[in-house]
Amino acid sequence: MLRVGSSAACMACRNLVSTNMGVRFRIPLQKLHPLSRAIHHRYSGNNNPHRTPHRTAARYFTSMSRLPMRPLKPPPGSGGHRHQQQRNFWVARLAARLLRLRYILLGTAVGGGYTAKKTYEEWKDMLPDLSEYNWVIPDFVWELSEQIDLDKLAKALPEMEEIAKLLPDFEKIGENFTFLKSILSSGVSLGSEVKGASGLHLLLESSGDPALKATDSSTGAAHDASDKQYKKSSDKEKVDQLQEELLRTQLKYQRMLERLEKENKELRKVVLQKDDKGIHQRKVKKSLIDLYSEVLDILSDYDANYNTQDHLPRVVVVGDQSAGKTSVLEMIAQARIFPRGSGEMMTRSPVKVTLSEGPHHVAMFKDSGREFDLTKEEDLAALRHEIELRMRKSVKEGQTVSSETISLSVKGPGIQRMVLVDLPGVISTVTTGMASDTKETIFSMSKAYMQNPNAIILCIQDGSVDAERSIVTDLVSQMDPQGRRTIFVLTKVDLAEKNLASPSRIQQIVEGKLFPMKALGYFAVVTGKGSTGESIDAIKDYEEDFFQNSRLLRDGMLKAHQVTTKNLSLAVSDCFWKMVRESVEQQADVFKASRFNLETEWKNNYPRLRELDRNELFEKAKNEILDEVISLSQVTPLHWESILQKKLWERVSTHVIENIYLPAAQTLDSGTFNTTVDIKLKQWTDKQLPHKALEVAWETLQEEFARFMAEYKGKDQDDIFDRLKEAVKDESIKRHKWNERAMDSLRVIQHNALEDRSITDKPQWDAAIQFMEETLQSRLKDTESVIRDMVGPDWKQRWLNWMNRTPEQHIRNETKNELDRLLKLHDDHTAYLANDEVTTVRKNLEGRGVEVDPVLIKDTWHQLYRRHFLQKALTHCNLCKRGFYYYQRHFVDSELECNDVVLFWRIQRMLVITANTLRQQLTNTEVRRLEKNVKEVLDDFGEDMERKTQLITGRRVQLAEDLKKVREIQEKLEAFIEALHKEK
């Protein structure tokens, strides 16, 4: 029950609460309803007891106003009739009151429940959605929550009653505090002493008790002057004290945060190490930043079509050359990972660095499995050397910088998750040794990265040089004029504070008032003393000591959250993930639309073909080529030997006829003929024949290989592999070298075959006759064709085809006629004309009015004598068809000599034996070596992506490649988005 105190004893407040209600108030006046307090203060000075009390006002604002009141006494003289009438209906009135009370209670319950529910919903809507900030909590907290049984932990906690026993007695504290207030309010002198204690004085003034404020007015007037004078004299001191206290507090909490973060870092390292060892027995999955980095790696190799551009966020680091970009990145990555130089350009190509958290501080390239331990100096040196080598390798000859991106991932405890791209520094002048277009190339490269609307621009400015010398600020302001995605970083602040005459310029820079560019945030950092041997921990200590003692922070020119690379990395990471969450789903929709367009184009143009990208097509072509090589082993020996024999004779027939047979045929007797033949065959075998045979064998192998390729192509009619197969064939032939031992053994075999002159039976003799006759007829036919071309068309062709001879052909024809008469007179003429014969022929032609040169006469004689000799040889060949009997008797007592037939038999037998030997060499050794060479060539081509792009090309290939890339990007983005939502 509540009871009204004596302090609320005014007429209005007493009338608000009826003494007949059975309600008592113990709360002071200040705790009453605001309307009640207003009524109290308004009518507290009214002394008229006859004024009508404001009971009706309280009826509308008090929950007790509906309770039954005491009935009023009837006025005198009215009699008791009306009172008696009311008594007669007391039962009905009581029932009506009960029914009304029931409805009131029911309505109050329903209305109160609805009001409570509505109020709960309003309060619930007012509360922020904290689920969006779940990503702030580290991953290991959620993992620990899965491993800890919260029910067991709750049961192990003590009960609330036991905890209440341990708490202090707040009632006794309140009584002591009330006693203290009564003491302070009792005397003026004590109040003036307490006034000096600012904290307690403010506490007492905030209590709101009017008794504490009601001090002696005369004493307050005496102290007003001294208070004003004290305030004026101590304002400046208070400001200084507050600033120093603020700095001490910031440094104190900064150290506490660092200590807690260090402990958190160690704990996370332990948890991650346990996780790596498989203690949780869960499936290892990629981190969120690794998934995102894979998407960026794929996009870096993707040639975007259909207006599909890479607009995924990343942090683009730009700045003037030697502004400290690399040092800032190393401080964020917590390792000296980049090559360094004094004033020269070290960053020659974009370097994409993926930062993530892990149990060990390691670095790894995208295309390499080696891990560099960043805690070891030798691994750091190796990593810097590898980055420098990759940069120099990516730069083409005659260029200074390259647009080829080097992808690197860095993991370690406490590293902020983000993706940064370090670009070459912007230069103002091209120096000696640089390409002439270096400046424009760096500008275009920087613009290409910064024009991404979702890229965060980390603008690095050297604080130790004049701000007017900056080039990059103008470039950044052009790409992001509103500064919605730019973070400005001022480096080398220690040198700036030391060298600048007016440190306020630093304040103007970090407040964005000096440069025309705008930015989301401004930071000032120190990245060391300029020594390449400094460690990251030493740089951090130096940076912290500098800002602790710097007047920039002490005088308020810089805010505490604007300094140190640690605050910078936290801010950049927050901006990066905010941009990722805002844009990644939109980018996923863009790639989804691109995938639909590409799939539609494929269905319309290649409805019956599978979507095979370049690598899949290469594997298909590789299998086909290997099948064709294997098919060479199925060629029959007879086919090999017939082809080899035919090709070998085509290659050596001219030498046999011109250099062996014709010179030997000019001899006078058989002995000289055989001697000449033996000598020339021996020379031919030692120098030319084995080499020619191997050339023929290798060409035959190539032709058969190409024939099988052509036959296989005819089955599928897919010409997309033509360039690849041709390149593989040419490269395999180029690499193939015939076994040198095979040449030596082949020389011996050929020499033995040519030395044999014994024809054992008549079929061999007939075969030699046929071979000789076919050879001579072929040569005669070729010779007659040459003569026809020399002399021009005959009379029949001239009349029927309306053809005429040229002047040269006319001279040739006259010379031919004159030489034919000479051959008819001397049927056994030698192969060469004597000089007097040439003179005679020339004079005879001049007598007929034909001027002819002696060289022309000799050329014409060579062809005419060749025809004459071949005709006589064919006649002699026909006579030798019956000469096998004489051959067996060694042509004794016979005018017929067929030594030329024996020569052709020796040649024919050599061809057969050589073809057989080459066939064995091909089938047993060279086909396998060719297959091995083809495999090596295919393996080399498979590793050379540029070569594959040149050999397998076309719209079909490019469309399949784009489809594969877009699908892969979309799947990676969807996996990343799913993981991103889970992390929320």
Side-chain angles (χ1 to χ4, degrees):
M1 302 297 289
L2 300 174
R3 180 175 295 174
V4 178
S6 59
S7 61
C10 65
M11 181 65 70
C13 292
R14 282 199 302 269
N15 291 332
L16 282 172
V17 184
S18 174
T19 57
N20 297 327
M21 295 180 185
V23 181
R24 299 177 182 179
F25 291 90
R26 289 185 179 220
I27 60 175
L29 179 64
Q30 288 82 352
K31 301 298 182 179
L32 290 177
H33 193 277
L35 180 59
S36 302
R37 294 175 62 184
I39 295 172
H40 164 70
H41 293 294
R42 184 176 180 182
Y43 295 103
S44 60
N46 187 8
N47 298 324
N48 187 5
H50 300 291
R51 187 163 184 163
T52 306
H54 292 265
R55 186 184 301 269
T56 57
R59 290 173 58 89
Y60 293 99
F61 298 97
T62 308
S63 61
M64 296 298 183
S65 59
R66 294 297 179 181
L67 293 177
M69 311 295 290
R70 177 184 292 182
L72 299 175
K73 293 182 179 181
S78 61
H81 176 71
R82 183 176 180 85
H83 182 68
Q84 185 68 28
Q85 185 178 4
Q86 292 179 357
R87 285 186 176 182
N88 293 336
F89 295 97
W90 66 271
V91 178
R93 292 173 62 188
L94 179 60
R97 293 289 181 89
L98 292 175
L99 291 174
R100 185 183 301 173
L101 181 61
R102 181 184 65 179
Y103 288 116
I104 288 173
L105 293 174
L106 181 61
T108 303
V110 174
Y114 175 76
T115 304
K117 181 179 179 182
K118 186 175 181 181
T119 305
Y120 170 74
E121 294 293 336
E122 292 177 355
W123 276 76
K124 184 178 179 181
D125 294 338
M126 289 171 63
L127 291 175
D129 188 6
L130 298 179
S131 61
E132 297 181 358
Y133 302 94
N134 287 345
W135 61 273
V136 178
I137 301 175
D139 297 336
F140 76 96
V141 176
W142 302 110
E143 296 171 359
L144 288 176
S145 63
E146 297 176 359
Q147 305 299 324
I148 297 175
D149 192 348
L150 296 179
D151 294 335
K152 294 182 179 179
L153 183 61
K155 293 178 181 179
L157 293 175
E159 299 293 336
M160 293 301 297
E161 297 177 356
E162 298 177 0
I163 297 175
K165 294 178 181 179
L166 302 175
L167 296 176
D169 192 350
F170 292 103
E171 294 182 0
K172 292 183 179 181
I173 294 174
E175 293 176 359
N176 295 334
F177 188 71
T178 305
F179 176 72
L180 179 61
K181 288 195 293 181
S182 64
I183 293 176
L184 293 175
S185 61
S186 61
V188 179
S189 61
L190 184 60
S192 63
E193 293 176 1
V194 173
K195 210 166 189 180
S198 60
L200 187 58
H201 179 67
L202 293 174
L203 179 62
L204 297 178
E205 285 185 351
S206 62
S207 62
D209 197 331
L212 296 176
K213 296 179 182 179
T215 58
D216 189 15
S217 59
S218 61
T219 306
H223 290 279
D224 284 341
S226 61
D227 288 343
K228 292 179 180 180
Q229 184 178 2
Y230 172 77
K231 289 181 180 179
K232 290 181 180 179
S233 62
S234 62
D235 281 344
K236 187 176 181 181
E237 296 178 358
K238 287 185 177 180
V239 170
D240 294 339
Q241 291 177 358
L242 288 175
Q243 287 183 353
E244 292 179 359
E245 185 178 357
L246 178 61
L247 287 176
R248 287 195 299 270
T249 305
Q250 288 178 346
L251 293 176
K252 175 183 176 182
Y253 284 109
Q254 185 71 22
R255 293 191 186 96
M256 293 176 61
L257 285 174
E258 290 178 357
R259 179 175 57 81
L260 293 174
E261 288 176 355
K262 186 175 181 181
E263 295 177 357
N264 184 25
K265 180 179 177 180
E266 295 297 330
L267 290 174
R268 288 180 65 85
K269 183 176 180 179
V270 172
V271 172
L272 292 171
Q273 286 176 345
K274 291 181 178 180
D275 216 13
D276 286 345
K277 294 177 182 178
I279 291 180
H280 297 298
Q281 297 297 329
R282 64 181 179 83
K283 184 179 179 181
V284 178
K285 59 181 180 181
K286 294 182 179 179
S287 64
L288 193 64
I289 191 65
D290 289 336
L291 291 174
Y292 186 75
S293 180
E294 287 182 358
V295 176
L296 296 182
D297 288 337
I298 299 172
L299 284 173
S300 65
D301 301 330
Y302 174 60
D303 183 14
N305 294 321
Y306 303 98
N307 297 323
T308 302
Q309 298 180 357
D310 175 15
H311 287 166
L312 289 175
R314 72 262 284 159
V315 181
V316 180
V317 186
V318 295
D320 298 330
Q321 183 178 342
S322 301
K325 299 186 294 78
T326 301
S327 299
V328 172
L329 281 179
E330 288 180 338
M331 292 294 291
I332 295 175
Q334 301 180 13
R336 307 297 294 267
I337 59 177
F338 292 104
R340 311 182 69 83
S342 56
E344 60 178 330
M345 179 182 292
M346 297 304 298
T347 305
R348 297 180 178 270
S349 65
V351 182
K352 183 178 76 69
V353 184
T354 303
L355 301 178
S356 60
E357 193 169 20
H360 306 289
H361 202 187
V362 295
M364 181 186 297
F365 290 99
K366 178 188 72 172
D367 55 353
S368 175
R370 178 184 176 183
E371 280 190 350
F372 296 88
D373 190 351
L374 301 183
T375 60
K376 298 179 180 179
E377 187 58 36
E378 55 271 18
D379 279 19
L380 280 171
L383 177 61
R384 290 192 291 264
H385 181 67
E386 180 68 21
I387 293 176
E388 185 175 3
L389 287 178
R390 287 173 179 256
M391 285 184 180
R392 295 187 181 277
K393 184 179 179 181
S394 65
V395 177
K396 297 180 180 179
E397 185 177 357
Q399 299 295 322
T400 306
V401 294
S402 170
S403 60
E404 183 179 345
T405 303
I406 299 174
S407 183
L408 178 70
S409 63
V410 177
K411 297 183 179 181
I415 295 180
Q416 298 299 320
R417 302 177 302 171
M418 67 185 92
V419 177
L420 303 101
V421 180
D422 185 21
L423 298 178
V426 179
I427 60 175
S428 58
T429 305
V430 177
T431 59
T432 305
M434 291 185 179
S436 58
D437 60 344
T438 302
K439 179 179 177 181
E440 291 75 14
T441 303
I442 295 176
F443 264 76
S444 60
M445 188 188 307
S446 302
K447 287 182 178 179
Y449 275 91
M450 288 191 292
Q451 69 184 1
N452 178 2
N454 298 321
I456 299 171
I457 304 172
L458 194 62
C459 180
I460 310 297
Q461 170 63 32
D462 189 350
S464 63
V465 299
D466 295 336
E468 291 76 11
R469 295 170 56 186
S470 176
I471 306 173
V472 71
T473 51
D474 294 336
L475 182 62
V476 172
S477 61
Q478 293 176 8
M479 306 309 297
D480 185 24
Q482 302 299 324
R484 296 177 180 175
R485 51 189 180 89
T486 301
I487 297 177
F488 182 86
V489 182
L490 185 68
T491 61
K492 306 177 184 179
V493 183
D494 52 343
L495 300 178
E497 184 185 31
K498 180 180 179 181
N499 298 331
L500 290 179
S502 175
S504 60
R505 285 176 63 87
I506 298 178
Q507 184 179 5
Q508 294 177 354
I509 292 175
V510 296
E511 289 179 354
K513 298 179 180 179
L514 190 61
F515 291 110
M517 60 172 289
K518 300 178 181 179
L520 283 172
Y522 297 83
F523 290 87
V525 298
V526 175
T527 56
K529 300 178 182 179
S531 175
T532 57
E534 288 181 292
S535 64
I536 295 296
D537 293 334
I539 297 175
K540 286 182 179 179
D541 295 339
Y542 173 73
E543 184 183 38
E544 182 179 351
D545 294 340
F546 168 76
F547 283 116
Q548 286 180 2
N549 302 319
S550 174
R551 57 176 296 192
L552 297 174
L553 197 63
R554 186 173 60 252
D555 295 345
M557 296 182 185
L558 296 177
K559 305 297 187 297
H561 66 275
Q562 289 182 304
V563 298
T564 71
T565 51
K566 186 169 187 178
N567 291 334
L568 170 65
S569 62
L570 291 172
V572 174
S573 179
D574 290 342
C575 293
F576 171 74
W577 284 108
K578 180 181 178 182
M579 190 70 75
V580 167
R581 287 181 172 85
E582 290 176 354
S583 61
V584 66
E585 293 189 2
Q586 180 182 1
Q587 290 299 304
D589 294 338
V590 171
F591 282 103
K592 185 176 181 180
S594 177
R595 173 179 176 177
F596 175 78
N597 295 334
L598 293 173
E599 289 177 344
T600 303
E601 182 180 357
W602 183 274
K603 291 178 182 177
N604 293 334
N605 296 330
Y606 313 103
R608 297 184 179 181
L609 295 177
R610 290 194 303 120
E611 299 172 5
L612 299 178
D613 59 9
R614 184 171 282 107
N615 291 329
E616 293 171 338
L617 288 172
F618 180 81
E619 291 298 324
K620 182 179 178 181
K622 179 179 179 180
N623 294 330
E624 290 185 6
I625 294 172
L626 293 177
D627 291 341
E628 293 161 5
V629 175
I630 295 175
S631 299
L632 288 175
S633 60
Q634 301 176 1
V635 178
T636 61
L638 182 61
H639 181 74
W640 278 119
E641 292 181 6
S642 62
I643 294 176
L644 289 170
Q645 185 175 347
K646 180 180 179 182
K647 286 186 173 297
L648 181 59
W649 176 240
E650 290 176 356
R651 181 67 58 86
V652 302
S653 60
T654 302
H655 180 83
V656 170
I657 298 298
E658 301 292 337
N659 298 329
I660 299 177
Y661 178 56
L662 286 178
Q666 302 302 319
T667 58
L668 299 176
D669 53 15
S670 60
T672 308
F673 178 88
N674 292 330
T675 303
T676 305
V677 167
D678 291 341
I679 294 173
K680 291 187 176 293
L681 287 177
K682 180 68 168 58
Q683 294 174 350
W684 182 45
T685 306
D686 292 339
K687 296 180 180 180
Q688 298 181 9
L689 182 59
H691 183 70
K692 294 287 185 182
L694 292 181
E695 287 182 355
V696 169
W698 182 224
E699 291 176 2
T700 304
L701 183 61
Q702 297 175 35
E703 292 177 1
E704 289 299 303
F705 185 33
R707 182 175 66 85
F708 277 101
M709 283 186 174
E711 291 178 356
Y712 198 91
K713 174 188 171 183
K715 298 177 182 178
D716 294 340
Q717 297 295 329
D718 193 351
D719 56 352
I720 203 169
F721 302 140
D722 289 350
R723 296 179 64 182
L724 175 62
K725 290 182 176 181
E726 191 68 24
V728 170
K729 184 187 72 173
D730 295 341
E731 185 66 21
S732 301
I733 294 170
K734 182 179 179 181
R735 295 186 184 185
H736 185 83
K737 293 181 180 180
W738 206 279
N739 191 359
E740 295 180 358
R741 296 180 180 178
M743 183 178 294
D744 296 335
S745 60
L746 183 62
R747 182 181 291 108
V748 174
I749 293 173
Q750 291 174 339
H751 183 72
N752 294 333
L754 290 173
E755 284 186 348
D756 188 7
R757 298 185 183 90
S758 59
I759 303 176
T760 57
D761 53 13
K762 185 68 166 55
Q764 292 183 1
W765 181 269
D766 293 339
I769 292 290
Q770 183 181 359
F771 175 63
M772 178 180 176
E773 186 176 9
E774 291 176 355
T775 302
L776 294 178
Q777 287 179 353
S778 175
R779 290 292 167 178
L780 179 61
K781 184 178 180 181
D782 294 339
T783 304
E784 289 178 348
S785 176
V786 172
I787 294 173
R788 281 196 301 269
D789 293 338
M790 289 173 57
V791 301
D794 56 4
W795 65 270
K796 185 183 293 184
Q797 291 177 341
R798 291 198 303 272
W799 281 97
L800 294 177
N801 300 328
W802 292 84
M803 299 175 64
N804 294 320
R805 290 173 177 165
T806 62
E808 183 180 359
Q809 289 177 345
H810 177 71
I811 295 174
R812 291 271 189 182
N813 183 58
E814 294 294 333
T815 304
K816 167 185 169 294
N817 294 333
E818 186 67 23
L819 293 175
D820 283 340
R821 285 194 290 269
L822 179 62
L823 281 174
K824 287 181 181 179
L825 295 175
H826 304 281
D827 187 62
D828 296 332
H829 199 287
T830 60
Y832 302 99
L833 280 175
N835 291 331
D836 56 347
E837 292 177 333
V838 173
T839 303
T840 303
V841 171
R842 184 169 61 83
K843 289 182 178 181
N844 293 336
L845 292 173
E846 288 177 354
R848 292 199 297 268
V850 179
E851 295 289 337
V852 63
D853 186 71
V855 177
L856 186 144
I857 295 174
K858 292 181 179 180
D859 291 342
T860 307
W861 168 258
H862 177 72
Q863 297 298 331
L864 292 176
Y865 181 81
R866 182 186 181 87
R867 183 182 64 177
H868 175 71
F869 174 78
L870 292 175
Q871 289 174 348
K872 287 178 62 177
L874 282 173
T875 303
H876 181 69
C877 181
N878 291 327
L879 294 175
C880 289
K881 288 181 180 180
R882 54 185 177 83
F884 181 70
Y885 171 76
Y886 300 103
Y887 166 75
Q888 290 179 331
R889 297 180 60 182
H890 303 288
F891 302 105
V892 178
D893 300 331
S894 173
E895 297 181 355
L896 182 63
E897 293 183 357
C898 297
N899 294 317
D900 50 357
V901 176
V902 177
L903 170 63
F904 277 93
W905 180 82
R906 293 165 69 181
I907 297 294
Q908 185 183 31
R909 187 168 181 274
M910 183 273 300
L911 292 176
V912 173
I913 294 175
T914 302
N916 185 25
T917 304
L918 293 176
R919 188 265 307 169
Q920 295 179 8
Q921 183 72 18
L922 284 172
T923 55
N924 296 335
T925 306
E926 302 304 328
V927 171
R928 297 178 182 177
R929 291 182 62 198
L930 176 63
E931 182 179 358
K932 181 180 178 181
N933 290 337
V934 170
K935 288 181 179 179
E936 292 177 354
V937 171
L938 289 172
D939 292 339
D940 294 342
F941 284 4
E943 296 175 358
D944 190 352
M945 193 62 196
E946 184 178 356
R947 193 74 175 267
K948 283 195 295 186
T949 305
Q950 295 174 354
L951 297 177
I952 303 178
T953 184
R955 180 55 189 162
R956 168 185 161 191
V957 182
Q958 190 61 43
L959 187 59
E961 284 283 310
D962 292 342
L963 265 172
K964 178 185 176 182
K965 290 288 185 183
V966 170
R967 285 196 185 105
E968 188 176 6
I969 293 170
Q970 184 185 359
E971 292 173 359
K972 295 285 186 182
L973 278 176
E974 289 176 353
F976 171 74
I977 293 172
E978 182 180 359
L980 189 65
H981 289 165
K982 288 182 179 179
E983 192 180 64
K984 288 183 180 180

